[in-house]
Amino acid sequence: MPLSLQAAVSFGLLAAVVTSLGLAAVALRSEWSARQSGLFALAAGGMLITMSLLHIVPEALGAGHGAAKFVLGGFFAGLLLSFAMRTYFPERAGQARAEAFTPLLAVGVHSFFDGVIYSVSFAASFQSGVYASLGLILHEFAEGIIAFAILSRHGFKVKEALVWAFIAAAATTPLGALVSGLFVNGLGAGTITALYALSAGLLIYVATGPMMEPLKEVSPVRAMGSLGAGVAFALAVLALPIHDHGVLDNHGHGHDHTEIDFRTPGTPAPPAH
């Protein structure tokens, strides 16, 4: 298995563990976890937007001509996807149990695409994969709580809600990383570059859209504190000496360079240092 795919699946599994911790917390202290879910989401948003703007997006823009269009396209793709999910899978509290599966499907699709972002980011470079994954993993705790809350409002018992929430919010992330990773590692450098730029735009949308929704519910002081904590944590992670293994080829071997190779196919490679 290519190293980039191993890393993506590993972080996908880590995301599933974090989601499971959220489910465990809500099962043990449901009221407290529900109250704090907004703060977790805001901290994750602060962390993700910081990593996106300081590392992921600049690296994507460094791809060369056309990269900015893919970043912009990724942002609007996230916006359109969110609009479509809310339109076709609205959440209606107080309805029959069957109604819970439409918003739950939306959660599952979202988590699956989180896994896709992992595989694309790690295919681009190890360092970018770590930064993108950490920002997304932090919000998985709140996502598990949200999935559980949806099911609880529709009459599911605790054990049933835990099982279905795990399937929708936790298991889908490593599945998305594995399925997409099998295809990504067979693509050329130019295609991976385009997908990476798209994922960068999508990360901006996730950080500034869904993760910022609790701003309407949380007091300004607590909201700014959570955002600030996320930003501070992101800056600390960015300062760590995470060594980039470069773009991995389809055989799982790392190249000698530490930057994504954005050159046009066929252009001679620069001499190794």
Side-chain angles (χ1 to χ4, degrees), residues 230-256:
V231 171
F233 186 77
L235 292 174
V237 172
L238 289 171
L240 294 175
I242 301 176
H243 299 291
D244 197 347
H245 299 293
V247 181
L248 301 175
D249 60 29
N250 295 331
H251 301 289
H253 302 298
H255 298 298
D256 292 333

Side-chain angles (χ1 to χ4, degrees), residues 121-144:
S121 299
F122 275 109
S125 74
F126 179 80
Q127 189 178 47
S128 296
V130 171
Y131 292 154
S133 300
L134 285 177
L136 286 171
I137 284 173
L138 187 59
H139 91 290
E140 298 291 346
F141 187 90
E143 190 166 281

Side-chain angles (χ1 to χ4, degrees), residues 25-26 29-39 145 149 217:
V26 80
R29 299 186 62 184
S30 58
E31 293 184 3
W32 179 88
S33 300
R35 289 197 305 267
Q36 306 304 320
S37 62
L39 297 178
I145 296 173
E217 307 167 2

Side-chain angles (χ1 to χ4, degrees), residues 85 89-92 98-108 150 154:
M85 299 311 295
F89 303 108
E91 182 183 346
R92 298 184 179 92
E99 294 290 334
F101 286 99
T102 48
L104 199 65
L105 178 61
V107 172
I150 290 172
H154 288 84

